[in-house]
Amino acid sequence: MPILCTDDYRALAQPLLPADIWDYLDGGSGAELTLDANRRLFDRVELRPRVLVDVSVCDTGGKLLGQPLPTPVGIAPTAYHRLAHPEGEVATARGAGGALFVVSIFASRSLEEIAAAATGPLWLQLYWLRRRTVLAELARRAQDAGYRALVLTVDAPRIGQRLRDARNGFAVDPGIRAVNLDDAIMAATHERHEGASAIAAHAAQTFDQTVTWADLAWLRGLTDLPLVLKGVLTASDADRAVEQGVDAIIVSNHGGRQLDGAVPALRALPEVVAAVAGRCPVLLDGGVRHGRDVFAALALGASAVLVGRPALWALAVGGADGVAGLLTMLTGELEHTMALAGRPRLGDIGRDAALLPDRRDT
């Protein structure tokens, strides 16, 4: 079967993975309303092409936090890549090439192994654990290994009600570990209980639910790395983040895996961009499946987008080559969309390039 679109990776990946792992990777929270809404909204965006523009060369390159990137498409943080492929995050890093790869705190390969395989920029994603010494050690390791930013996920004081995982009694196979954390911290993720998610049980034990804006200064003080907040969906939080000195924001609802019924990320994007008012870059994740979607997000103010599930599908199908093929495909689709839309450079993709449907129409 030729791979011609992102959904082809999905179709090929599903039979390769055990049913409970597929559900863990593919599922959302609750009735999966937000999971579905993320995708549906992209499908309703209307693009506004310009004509009689020289599009013989379209350039997808740009910069993010001072780092040149060949594409505005990067890889979102997702845990345990060895669930999808034996080489895990090392294969993902190789496949990413020069693109941005945000590595999860729950990566199944060491930060140093991933860095050795990467040729593009790496950011490290963190959840705020109760044991601050663990966070401090990870942040310093990341800086020493050459990571370019810390990404704090702020929409997960506890894990969303992921019914697929609960029905499957999902737990991570003990042979696949979050190797950058002590085994004692991660023990609950491997304990299977009928009708319950080991991921949720682990979060309840280890995530600090008391964290507030006042704690960000401590995290910023650990390293010289830029600090990125992931999970912002409102103008008020975006404005406060910038006031707190945050270096970038990722508009995200966790791919529909946290608060079910939360606003789709693309719907929240213009509000956040307006509040930030150019003071820092704004990225987006959630529902991106085509280069057309990337174009729409850029038109609505994003500096870059991140893909999560599609990267895991591609990893399962073809390892590093699969990830490289996915990013090449999405970037090629973006370039094609830019040509047909008469916007040959990323800077040409302005707010006039896309129409977001009225809320009443969605």
Side-chain angles (χ1 to χ4, degrees):
M1 169 182 170
I3 298 176
L4 302 178
C5 64
T6 300
D7 283 343
D8 289 341
Y9 282 107
R10 186 179 189 274
L12 291 169
Q14 184 170 4
L16 297 176
L17 299 172
D20 63 335
I21 291 177
W22 175 259
D23 281 345
Y24 168 66
L25 300 179
D26 196 59
S29 64
E32 300 188 344
L33 301 174
T34 299
L35 174 63
D36 293 339
N38 278 345
R39 181 63 250 152
R40 285 200 315 272
L41 189 56
F42 270 112
D43 290 341
R44 298 293 305 282
V45 172
E46 296 174 334
L47 306 184
R48 303 179 70 245
R50 290 176 176 165
V51 298
L52 295 177
V53 176
D54 181 352
V55 292
S56 56
V57 177
C58 292
D59 185 2
T60 63
K63 281 189 174 183
L64 187 61
L65 295 183
Q67 178 70 31
L69 293 172
T71 175
V73 184
I75 298 175
T78 52
Y80 303 110
H81 286 204
R82 286 193 60 222
L83 291 173
H85 188 274
E87 287 190 288
E89 290 81 3
V90 166
T92 307
R94 286 206 311 271
L100 172 64
F101 175 22
V102 186
V103 177
S104 169
I105 187 175
F106 300 131
S108 50
R109 298 294 298 267
S110 76
L111 301 185
E112 294 77 12
E113 289 173 318
I114 298 166
T119 55
L122 299 172
W123 296 358
L124 175 64
Q125 176 267 344
L126 300 169
Y127 292 103
W128 201 295
L129 304 179
R130 293 177 184 175
R131 289 177 55 182
R132 290 196 177 195
T133 55
V134 174
L135 282 182
E137 179 187 3
L138 282 173
R140 291 169 184 140
R141 277 178 61 192
Q143 179 165 273
D144 290 345
Y147 287 64
R148 302 299 182 91
L150 300 177
V151 179
L152 179 64
T153 294
V154 293
D155 63 357
R158 62 181 70 177
I159 293 298
Q161 195 174 35
R162 302 173 190 173
L163 300 182
R164 295 201 215 183
D165 290 349
R167 289 191 180 102
N168 292 329
F170 181 75
V172 181
D173 187 301
I176 297 175
R177 299 185 302 110
V179 298
N180 296 293
L181 296 166
D182 186 270
D183 285 347
I185 295 174
M186 301 305 301
T189 61
H190 305 294
E191 297 172 1
R192 188 179 295 273
H193 299 282
E194 185 175 353
S197 162
I199 301 297
H202 168 262
Q205 292 179 13
T206 59
F207 287 13
D208 188 344
Q209 299 184 45
T210 71
V211 176
T212 69
W213 293 99
D215 295 294
L216 293 183
W218 175 83
L219 184 58
R220 286 185 63 88
L222 293 176
T223 71
D224 299 323
L225 298 176
L227 179 61
V228 181
L229 291 194
K230 178 179 182 292
V232 174
L233 291 171
T234 65
S236 56
D237 280 348
D239 183 61
R240 188 160 188 181
V242 177
E243 289 179 350
Q244 294 282 332
V246 166
D247 298 285
I249 289 170
I250 303 175
V251 176
S252 171
N253 53 40
H254 219 103
R257 292 164 72 84
Q258 283 300 105
L259 175 63
D260 196 28
V263 61
L266 191 67
R267 174 69 71 191
L269 178 61
E271 172 184 333
V272 170
V273 169
V276 167
R279 292 175 289 171
C280 76
V282 177
L283 293 78
L284 174 138
D285 73 16
V288 174
R289 299 291 182 268
H290 192 278
R292 177 189 63 247
D293 304 336
V294 180
F295 183 97
L298 297 178
L300 294 173
S303 298
V305 304
L306 304 174
V307 293
R309 292 178 181 90
L312 293 173
W313 302 337
L315 181 65
V317 169
D321 290 343
V323 174
L326 171 73
L327 293 176
T328 298
M329 174 187 294
L330 289 171
T331 303
E333 292 169 348
L334 169 63
E335 189 273 344
H336 190 73
T337 304
M338 291 166 66
L340 294 179
R343 320 275 176 153
R345 293 167 295 277
L346 297 185
D348 299 326
I349 308 174
R351 186 62 184 86
D352 64 334
L355 293 173
L356 197 61
D358 189 274
R359 289 176 186 271
R360 294 169 295 181
D361 297 330
T362 58

